[in-house]
Amino acid sequence: MIDTHAHLDHVEHLPDVLAAAAQAGVSAIIAVGEDLESNQKNLKICQSAPRPRVYLGFGFHPDRAHRQDLEPCLEFIKAHAKEAVAIGEIGLDFWYPWVKIDPALQEKQKAVFRRMLEAAKEWGLPAIIHSRGAWQESLDIARETGTRKAVFHWYSGPLDVLEAILAQGYYVSCSPSLSYSKPSQAVVRATPLDRLLIETDTPVFYRNSDGGGGFAASPKDVRITLECVCRLKELPQQAAAESLDQNACRCFALK
Ligand SMILES: [Zn+2]
């Protein structure tokens, strides 16, 4: 299993967490970055040659668009682009109440997103796109910029936009929220297996499927995502895990 989206820079007791992931059958993790500091931390983690293997996505989260200067982060990414397998997490988030009511903040996010997609194109890297509350807008910008490879991470938006995302040749990923989220379940049902990726978005907090309590995800929990995909698509686990691993290798050109 490959966890295609984890914020390892936020994880406490990382060596133990990685050991548990390896024990659970996780072979690789894509560590995604949110800003300069986060990208730097992930690079250090990757350089420590951990097991499971850690690959890098360098990003600039939409939430940083109006809080931080993009330039130093972009300079860092430029200097280390060869060490990355993706540009992300990048994208738009109009879900935040202060963004929903502020067209200027939305425009700021769009401008930053465009620059990051142009950079991804220049370096020939796939984009890992956050699109919450701005699903159509994110797709429009990916198309406008001629983005060829992308994954719409934890996509839970409308199904007509999903159809257009798939028609464009992009991937979508799903998280452990699949155990209870109806929109996520609908997305997985409507997505062919060869366009699906699994992830945890570690350390996001998920509810338990029975509604009682919850847990902060770590990469080992990608197994929960896999089990949900198998249930929804009525697939045996071993075969599904192999297909999903192949998707990740193809999408991110992993060796
Ligand atoms: Zn994330």
Side-chain angles (χ1 to χ4, degrees), residues 21-145:
Q23 184 73 30
V26 175
S27 58
I29 300 165
I30 297 182
V32 291
E34 295 160 77
D35 53 28
L36 176 61
E37 197 189 331
S38 151
N39 290 323
Q40 285 170 330
K41 277 190 185 168
N42 284 333
L43 177 62
K44 269 207 181 115
I45 293 169
C46 178
Q47 285 170 339
S48 71
R51 287 281 161 241
R53 181 149 184 194
V54 171
Y55 294 97
L56 295 167
F58 287 137
F60 196 76
H61 196 281
D63 180 47
R64 304 299 192 283
H66 64 285
R67 299 175 199 275
Q68 287 185 23
D69 184 7
L70 171 65
E71 297 313 319
C73 182
L74 208 46
E75 279 305 310
F76 171 85
I77 299 175
K78 208 177 278 179
H80 295 279
K82 282 201 176 71
E83 287 148 273
V85 298
I87 294 300
E89 175 167 4
I90 57 172
L92 303 175
D93 194 324
F94 296 174
W95 199 262
Y96 299 116
W98 57 92
V99 179
K100 205 178 257 178
I101 57 160
D102 189 340
L105 287 185
Q106 296 176 10
E107 285 310 311
K108 180 76 192 163
Q109 284 191 8
K110 285 182 178 177
V112 166
F113 184 35
R114 277 197 193 95
R115 287 208 55 197
M116 295 303 285
L117 286 175
E118 292 293 350
K121 196 165 68 175
E122 191 184 322
W123 300 321
L125 293 171
I128 299 174
I129 299 175
H130 173 116
S131 57
R132 188 171 65 157
W135 299 287
Q136 183 67 54
E137 291 90 341
S138 300
L139 173 62
D140 289 345
I141 292 176
R143 272 188 188 140
E144 279 163 33
T145 50

Side-chain angles (χ1 to χ4, degrees), residues 217-248:
S218 75
K220 71 171 168 37
D221 298 314
V222 76
R223 180 164 291 284
I224 298 174
T225 316
L226 170 68
E227 286 167 359
C228 292
V229 169
C230 290
R231 255 199 311 278
L232 286 165
K233 291 193 153 322
E234 299 180 13
L235 291 167
Q237 241 184 68
Q238 184 65 27
E242 279 170 20
S243 298
L244 293 163
D245 277 4
Q246 282 168 13
N247 297 348

Side-chain angles (χ1 to χ4, degrees), residues 5-7 32 34 61 89 130 153 199 201-202 204:
H5 192 115
H7 296 268
V32 291
E34 295 160 77
H61 196 281
E89 175 167 4
H130 173 116
H153 125 79
E199 58 151 292
D201 209 3
T202 291
V204 161

